[in-house]
Amino acid sequence: MSDTYYEFGTAAERWERAQFFFESKEYLVAARILGGLVEEVPEQVAPRLLLARSYYHSARLGRAETELRAVLELDPVEHYARLMLGRALERQGRAAEAATHLRVAAALSGDFTPAESTPAGGE
């Protein structure tokens, strides 16, 4: 079997194959397939987001960060990309930078609650 077998086929076939490998927790294979798809259609968010997730789950955090930032350039209100970017930054020891993205992700998803809320009545 050729090393590039996974990269053959139509874009739709490769997308399905990448999803299969991702769901099978074969993140490096999924990333290899998705890398080609992202090159072909850089304006599409879904392949780039799945590529970022593949990088994240395979502990390639720098690459995940790069892809997540690209996703957010395309779709600034993509809350899951914002959440993942925050988590990737946390895992890289960049907590202060991560906190901003995590707060924005929470606000975009409707889960925003201030960290230091004061109960009614000012107590």
Side-chain angles (χ1 to χ4, degrees):
M1 176 166 60
S2 169
D3 286 340
T4 59
Y5 160 77
Y6 301 119
E7 295 144 2
F8 287 119
T10 66
E13 290 168 338
R14 287 179 286 139
W15 171 244
E16 286 182 22
R17 193 173 303 130
Q19 289 178 307
F20 170 79
F21 281 107
F22 182 86
E23 291 167 6
S24 300
K25 299 183 184 202
E26 294 288 339
Y27 302 119
L28 295 176
V29 176
R32 191 169 79 195
I33 298 165
L34 290 161
L37 283 173
V38 166
E39 284 180 21
E40 288 177 34
V41 288
E43 72 283 356
Q44 289 190 3
V45 170
R48 194 174 288 275
L49 186 55
L50 190 58
L51 177 58
R53 292 176 66 199
S54 297
Y55 285 149
Y56 180 86
H57 288 297
S58 61
R60 296 160 84 184
L61 300 175
R63 289 183 178 193
E65 178 185 350
T66 299
E67 292 304 325
L68 290 164
R69 290 187 187 280
V71 166
L72 291 170
E73 284 290 320
L74 295 168
D75 187 357
V77 295
E78 170 51 66
H79 79 279
Y80 190 67
R82 193 72 65 178
L83 173 66
M84 283 192 59
L85 179 56
R87 296 290 183 229
L89 292 169
E90 279 181 332
R91 286 179 66 187
Q92 294 177 71
R94 294 159 59 190
E97 190 179 352
T100 301
H101 293 286
L102 294 173
R103 280 193 304 271
V104 171
L108 290 172
S109 69
D111 293 334
F112 184 70
T113 54
E116 295 186 28
S117 59
T118 305
E123 295 178 16

